[in-house]
Amino acid sequence: MGLINHRNCGHAPIGLFDSGVGGLTVLRQLEQQLPNESVLYLGDTARLPYGTKTPEQILQYVREILTWMTAEGAKLVIMACNTSSALALETVRSEFSIPILGLILPGAKAAVQAGQRIGVIATQATVASHAYPNAVREINPNVAIWQVACPEFVPLIEQNQLNTPYTIQVAQRYLAPLLEQQIDTLVYGCTHYPYLEPVLRQILAPEVQLVDPAKAVVTAAAQELDLLSLRHLQASAHRRIGVTGDPQSFARVARHCLGYTPVVEQICLPTRLLSQAK
Ligand code: DGL
């Protein structure tokens, strides 16, 4: 059985990846919007967090993951990581033959539809790339946008400290400059952050809209699958979840997002040499 045949028949999985549990918030959206699709998920937990890495490192990690996902027969990949989407999407799209979707453009479109005074919370790397302000201003130059890097959030979420007094204090500090600007919309510019919704809701005025780009990227993926006649129509979805770090601790945190403890495999990604040979 060749991988190409597998991919063409429509039973091949959609690849999703992130540095850790953040991408599961995208998986959750995918389960709602595309329940018949099989999923191949990779959490690159051995190299988490991505948000503090250089653009070169992030590009290298993404190449390795895409090399692996392509070899495993993924028919389409959603980068379930804003940092990777901001820094590597354009480059890898020209290097790999399968469709690859990122979160920034769908997220920017959803943000512009939601409000006029937009706050973005994201990793340091995503903020430094200016990907969200650039995308938002391209869609509507009249919209006001502010962004804040939140480096403490990902480690807190990966340690399952979702609603502790310390997490609330950190969130108050990060949101203060956005509250000062009286934002009407807040974008989760990192797929980990929807886990903090109860905390963020305590701090934000009730009328502030929360935008999760995950929802919009899955809608875009559904359209892409239809366009390419790759949609899987029968209900036979299969989930395969792998991590580069410790499977047990990932499964424990993943339980909060998925509502069940998933089976998690340890994955060994192709080496630097293999991915460069692609
Ligand atoms: N969840 C990822 C994102 O959307 C990466 C977070 C990190 O590892 O720093 O940016």
Side-chain angles (χ1 to χ4, degrees):
M1 186 199 69
L3 288 172
I4 303 294
N5 287 342
H6 185 213
R7 201 178 295 150
N8 286 349
C9 74
H11 294 258
I14 294 178
L16 289 184
F17 73 87
D18 180 44
S19 58
V21 293
L24 296 177
T25 61
V26 183
L27 175 61
R28 204 164 51 184
Q29 287 294 335
L30 198 137
E31 285 178 341
Q32 282 169 22
Q33 292 188 50
L34 292 168
N36 295 333
E37 296 295 337
S38 290
V39 172
L40 175 64
Y41 185 94
L42 185 86
D44 192 7
T45 50
R47 300 188 286 200
L48 177 138
Y50 277 14
T52 54
K53 303 294 190 301
T54 65
E56 292 74 24
Q57 284 174 308
I58 293 161
L59 180 57
Q60 184 56 35
Y61 301 164
V62 171
R63 282 180 171 143
E64 290 173 9
I65 294 167
L66 288 172
T67 301
W68 178 74
M69 289 196 157
T70 310
E72 295 294 324
K75 62 181 174 184
L76 173 146
V77 171
I78 300 176
M79 290 185 167
C81 169
N82 288 267
T83 310
S84 307
S85 307
L87 290 144
L89 179 64
E90 291 315 316
T91 307
V92 293
R93 260 190 178 156
S94 61
E95 295 176 347
F96 291 82
S97 56
I98 53 169
I100 306 169
L101 277 74
L103 288 150
I104 309 293
L105 189 59
K109 283 184 186 162
V112 167
Q113 275 163 17
Q116 292 287 310
R117 300 181 67 79
I118 299 168
V120 179
I121 47 174
T123 66
Q124 285 154 300
T126 301
V127 167
S129 75
H130 293 281
Y132 271 108
N134 291 344
V136 161
R137 290 197 186 109
E138 201 157 307
I139 300 165
N140 184 350
N142 301 320
V143 163
I145 178 162
W146 299 269
Q147 44 173 9
V148 174
C150 308
E152 285 197 63
F153 276 167
V154 167
L156 285 170
I157 293 161
E158 290 284 340
Q159 289 157 23
N160 222 0
Q161 291 194 49
L162 301 183
N163 206 345
T164 64
Y166 182 70
T167 306
I168 296 169
Q169 191 190 318
V170 171
Q172 277 166 336
R173 174 157 45 86
Y174 287 147
L175 291 187
L178 300 176
L179 296 180
E180 217 167 281
Q181 297 299 339
Q182 299 187 310
I183 55 163
D184 56 22
T185 303
L186 182 71
V187 180
Y188 295 125
C190 170
T191 51
H192 280 77
Y193 300 171
Y195 291 104
L196 297 178
E197 183 172 342
V199 169
L200 301 174
R201 268 283 157 233
Q202 287 174 47
I203 302 168
L204 295 165
E207 60 275 13
V208 174
Q209 302 266 352
L210 285 171
V211 170
D212 187 355
K215 207 171 168 179
V217 78
V218 173
T219 305
Q223 286 163 356
E224 187 82 8
L225 291 178
D226 285 340
L227 205 71
L228 300 170
S229 306
L230 284 176
R231 180 87 82 113
H232 189 214
L233 299 171
Q234 281 99 43
S236 60
H238 176 75
R239 304 268 168 274
R240 188 174 160 211
I241 300 181
V243 292
T244 54
D246 175 36
Q248 272 77 39
S249 57
F250 184 89
R252 270 195 302 276
V253 185
R255 194 166 169 269
H256 282 267
C257 185
L258 300 175
Y260 59 91
T261 308
V263 176
V264 183
E265 298 171 40
Q266 171 105 52
I267 301 296
C268 191
L269 287 174
T271 66
R272 178 174 281 264
L273 268 178
L274 266 178
S275 62
Q276 278 175 352
K278 229 223 77 93

